[in-house]
Amino acid sequence: MSIKKSNPIPVIIGVGQINDREQHAQASLSLDSLGLMEAALRAADHDGGGGWLHQLDSLGVVDQISFPELGDVSAPLAKRLSATPRICYKSAYASGDSPLFLLNEAANRIGTGEITVAAIVGGEALRTAARRTASAVPGGAPADNAVRAVALRRGPSYRHRYGLVAPVDVYPLYENAGRAAYGQTLAQGQAESAAIWSRFSEVAEGNAGAWLRRRVSADDIKAVSAANRPIAFPYCKLMVANSSVNQGAGFIVTTLEEARARGISDDRIIFVGRGAAAHEPVDLMARANYVESASMSVSLRKALELNGLATADLDFVELYSCFPCVPKMARRVIDWPVERAASVFGGLTFGGGPVGNYMSHAVVSMALALRQRGRYGLLFANGGLATHSHSIVLSRVPPAANIFPQSFDFQAQADALRGPVPAVQEDYLGPATLETYTVLYDRGGSAQHAAIIGRAPNGARFIAKVPAVDHATIHWLTSGEQEPVGARGGAVKGADGDTWWVRPVL
């Protein structure tokens, strides 16, 4: 009787990350994104006992935006590492789900026997890039402008006319819609955000790889101050991703057989479980609603199901945290209690927000946490404007044989779960209902204008603005005295040609 040979089992054996805090007086001496990636992979190689980089069959790189002139850095990185991988590529763009996507691809290739050793890495040096720009051009743009510039290159679009350009402008729309749907007051919604973020700061305080290693109270996170200015209502600076960092992180994946042959002890081996991915429409106006994400729900639930787990089995989770609305939605999908930390790295505010590569740091921190204690960790990544969702399980427990390769595409299930999408009527004027909103602030903390997504009586969706001079309406949107979501108002043609939102006089 013939015995069927099991497929190779993918495991993580080396992890590494770096913070370059610019000790150099000259910004030109600090590491760029490519340098950070090299340092992170050399650290991962050292963590795995050394000698892995020369054996790489595959090198997957998370795209970076700090130094666009570098282009695709995968081949230059391989050369620096003296590696000759047969597969050498970068992600399509810098997206928060990229590290898990690359991990799932590597696990599949290992599972088929196509490759034996793979590395995934990314790095962003937005802080250094900003310093170099400032030294070349006095008054140079801050690091957060690089993220906005990338978003603008994908425009112009309808929403851009109303200031809904970068992620920080858009995610508050989900926050305010979600708060109303959860039946929370503004104070209750802010308290939940602050509680989650304060626990992130506690995690970061104890994580040597985090960028901001200081504990911050929930009260300080939700209180507006000179050090915690409003960004986009209801978010303050301490609630948003901190992209002004110089961080790199990477990890090495191989087969269980190769790891053991190379003398890696079982207590350092982290098994890669099954993953699940799906996405929402790219167009913000084409979402069924701003309260939930079908792709997020499918990704999280399928990842647990595919790995035979329930939430109670999880020792750790990493729920992507660019802005509070994302872990708030995710924790409701898996029923993760607000009292438990939703990160092993420290979140994108305190751990650091290196654009598309945050989840590489999360993989590193999850592997380190599982080596110390526990059995199962769930990683959830979010990319775009709450657009791309990818979840995967890491564990100390060997998975069932022959689980790789696996299809991690669950788009059909997400599409079936998604509700109807309203039509968009850009020129709508007349009575309407407020679906969701935000108020955008300048760097001095003054309101620039409010952006409102409204619904016409026929269900059509449109965008309107409230100019900063309409102090009464800005106050109504931000005071918490009433819930604006669901309120009636109207759309009129504004003095600047855009659609303006007006409240009825009561």
Side-chain angles (χ1 to χ4, degrees), residues 340-354:
R340 295 187 65 184
S343 175
V344 288
F345 182 53
L348 279 90
T349 300
F350 303 102

Side-chain angles (χ1 to χ4, degrees), residues 18 21 41 49 59 64 85 104 140 143 153 201 213 217 226 283 304 331 375 395 410 420 433 470 479 505-506:
I18 179 174
R21 298 190 179 277
L41 274 190
L59 175 61
Q64 58 88 34
N104 231 148
R153 286 201 293 271
S201 76
R213 298 188 62 192
S217 71
D283 183 1
L304 290 176
R331 79 172 195 85
R375 304 172 74 206
S395 75
F410 290 91
T433 302
D470 187 351
S479 67
V505 179
L506 301 179

Side-chain angles (χ1 to χ4, degrees), residues 378-427:
L378 172 68
L379 296 161
F380 167 71
N382 163 77
L385 302 175
T387 310
H388 297 279
S389 298
H390 201 131
S391 303
I392 200 166
V393 167
L394 300 183
S395 75
R396 289 287 304 281
V397 181
N402 297 322
I403 68 168
F404 289 102
Q406 63 129 158
S407 173
F408 51 83
D409 183 352
F410 290 91
Q411 190 59 42
Q413 289 88 328
D415 291 341
L417 186 63
R418 191 173 295 109
V421 176
V424 176
Q425 187 174 340
E426 296 185 15
D427 59 354

Side-chain angles (χ1 to χ4, degrees), residues 93-99 147 150-151 154 159 165-171 174 241 278-284 287 295 320-323 325-326 329 348 355-356 380-390:
Y93 45 86
S95 180
D97 62 315
S98 297
V147 178
V150 170
R154 298 169 186 162
R159 63 180 171 85
V165 178
V168 71
D169 311 321
V170 172
Y171 277 90
Y174 299 96
H279 62 81
E280 299 297 316
V282 174
D283 183 1
L284 174 71
R287 305 297 172 89
S295 63
Y320 201 85
S321 53
C322 48
F323 305 96
C325 60
V326 178
M329 286 192 283
L348 279 90
V355 195
F380 167 71
N382 163 77
L385 302 175
T387 310
H388 297 279
S389 298
H390 201 131

